[in-house]
Amino acid sequence: MPKRVDHEQRRGEIADAAWRLIAERGPDAVTLREVSAALGVAHGAPAHYFAGRAAIVECAFRRALDDLDARVARRAAGLSGVAALHVFCEEVIAHTGTPFARVAASGPGPAAVLAEVTARWRTRLAARIEEGRRAGGIVAPAPDG
């Protein structure tokens, strides 16, 4: 009887292995051969789950950003205004930087992922800033804009 494989779980494992390669050596390190070696699977195995290298990089990037979002949400649960802004800034500064920028610059897929996530972050940050203003924790002589 053939082995049953959870395709979403396997895609996640492949993307996570790719992200480790990106963090260690940059986005150019993500090749089907390198990802396969990191997982200890046959060279062609990732090709069963992704259309190619670019799709793996894009998925890995999305997962990394989603993980960052989840970490921020956990730490900021129950917080608002300045306290929530502080958590967001701590997490984003600590967990982004060179790997994120290099991946975003590596192709149109990752660039679109970053644009989508940044738009979502702008909306959340604007809400936290407004909460901070209403609570008196943020005082500015001029409106944002």
Side-chain angles (χ1 to χ4, degrees):
M1 183 165 187
K3 182 174 144 183
R4 291 199 182 261
V5 176
D6 180 334
H7 292 280
E8 283 308 307
Q9 178 182 348
R10 185 51 122 184
R11 283 176 56 83
E13 291 167 356
I14 293 166
D16 292 346
W19 189 253
R20 286 191 299 276
L21 289 168
I22 290 166
E24 292 169 10
R25 301 188 338 237
D28 292 340
V30 177
T31 64
L32 293 176
R33 185 174 309 280
E34 289 293 327
V35 172
S36 298
L39 290 168
V41 298
H43 170 64
H48 294 288
Y49 301 93
F50 290 94
R53 177 197 173 282
I56 294 172
V57 170
E58 183 177 336
C59 182
F61 192 41
R62 181 174 297 283
R63 283 177 65 90
L65 289 168
D66 287 348
D67 287 349
L68 177 57
D69 259 353
R71 212 171 16 257
V72 169
R74 279 192 305 276
R75 283 199 54 213
L79 301 177
S80 65
V82 175
L85 280 170
H86 182 75
V87 168
F88 176 85
C89 291
E90 270 186 353
E91 288 292 337
V92 169
I93 289 168
H95 294 100
T96 60
T98 303
F100 282 74
R102 288 177 66 193
V103 174
S106 71
V113 169
L114 184 60
E116 172 192 322
V117 171
T118 348
R120 189 168 62 224
W121 286 353
R122 272 192 214 101
T123 301
R124 290 181 191 159
L125 288 172
R128 299 300 82 81
I129 290 168
E130 183 55 33
E131 291 167 357
R133 282 203 172 103
R134 283 195 309 265
I138 297 175
V139 180
D144 298 332

